[in-house]
Amino acid sequence: MVSLKNPVYNQILNQNSEECKINRKHLSYLFRSVYFLVKEEIAHTTKYEPLIKRLIVKSSDSLQNWINANSDRSTYTSKATASELLCCASEILDAKLDKEIYGKKFSLLADESTNINDKSELSICVRFVKNNQPVERFLNIVALSDTKAQTIIDAISNELTKHNLSYGNTPCFKSLHPITN
């Protein structure tokens, strides 16, 4: 769950409904901006603030007034805000996924690879049936300290535990590479 020490999260929880509507409207502009940057693979930690200040705020007096009115709490233009919005979105998507797959039989897909920085990582996905259709969902990319079988098994087990999934509901496991010691 999002930490209760998060100022944006606390602000959303502690408002009346009219304030909530206004804040959610303006936060949606900010979230869409972060989403755009991430989707286009533009560095959100360095480009978020210029995007908000130069483009979004200038196109919306309402947003500019809202940011000015809340400037004692946050400017909403920092890289910390961008990262916090992404963390909130991640938790919402994880909760949705957990609800979607809970109690279902699933196949587990895992692939170890080396990234551009020469670091080993493990991509973990699940496949299950929803409305009589096969569905595949990405769980996570996990950094690996090494590529030994036990390290990979531990990484998979930790990810399954994080999503309240059990090997007991896994009739099939597929790895693109054989797991060996």
Side-chain angles (χ1 to χ4, degrees):
M1 196 66 165
V2 176
S3 170
L4 293 180
K5 294 179 181 177
N6 262 331
V8 174
Y9 185 75
N10 280 332
Q11 183 181 342
I12 290 170
L13 287 179
N14 298 318
Q15 298 168 336
N16 68 43
S17 64
E18 191 54 39
E19 277 183 304
C20 225
K21 277 185 199 174
I22 293 167
N23 287 342
R24 285 183 178 166
K25 173 187 166 191
H26 291 102
L27 282 169
S28 74
Y29 291 129
L30 303 178
F31 178 76
R32 281 189 229 137
S33 300
V34 172
Y35 176 73
F36 169 78
L37 293 172
V38 171
K39 184 177 178 191
E40 296 299 319
E41 298 182 13
I42 300 169
H44 67 278
T45 55
T46 56
K47 300 298 183 185
Y48 174 76
E49 184 175 358
L51 176 68
I52 298 302
K53 286 185 174 177
R54 292 190 183 113
L55 182 63
I56 305 298
V57 170
K58 288 185 180 187
S59 66
S60 171
D61 290 338
S62 168
L63 181 59
Q64 178 65 60
N65 293 337
W66 179 77
I67 287 175
N68 291 341
N70 290 296
S71 63
D72 62 322
R73 291 181 264 185
S74 175
T75 62
Y76 296 98
T77 59
S78 70
K79 65 181 179 182
T81 297
S83 295
E84 193 175 326
L85 288 169
L86 287 175
C87 286
C88 289
S90 174
E91 290 198 15
I92 290 166
L93 292 173
D94 277 350
K96 182 180 176 183
L97 171 65
D98 292 350
K99 184 178 178 182
E100 184 178 41
I101 194 170
Y102 181 77
K104 291 187 168 113
K105 299 282 186 193
F106 63 92
S107 298
L108 184 60
L109 296 87
D111 183 28
E112 181 275 333
S113 64
T114 304
N115 67 21
I116 196 167
N117 296 320
D118 202 31
K119 303 286 182 189
S120 295
E121 53 191 18
L122 183 68
S123 176
I124 305 171
C125 299
V126 292
R127 185 179 294 151
F128 57 98
V129 176
K130 178 180 177 183
N131 300 326
N132 293 323
Q133 295 293 319
V135 177
E136 202 167 280
R137 295 286 187 257
F138 171 78
L139 290 183
N140 204 359
I141 293 180
V142 180
L144 297 173
S145 57
D146 59 60
T147 56
K148 293 179 182 170
Q150 192 60 52
T151 304
I152 292 171
I153 290 168
D154 290 346
I156 292 169
S157 295
N158 289 340
E159 198 59 32
L160 292 178
T161 300
K162 179 179 146 190
H163 290 278
N164 296 315
L165 299 173
S166 164
Y167 282 112
N169 285 348
T170 310
C172 176
F173 169 77
K174 177 166 173 83
S175 174
L176 297 179
H177 304 284
I179 297 178
T180 59
N181 280 328

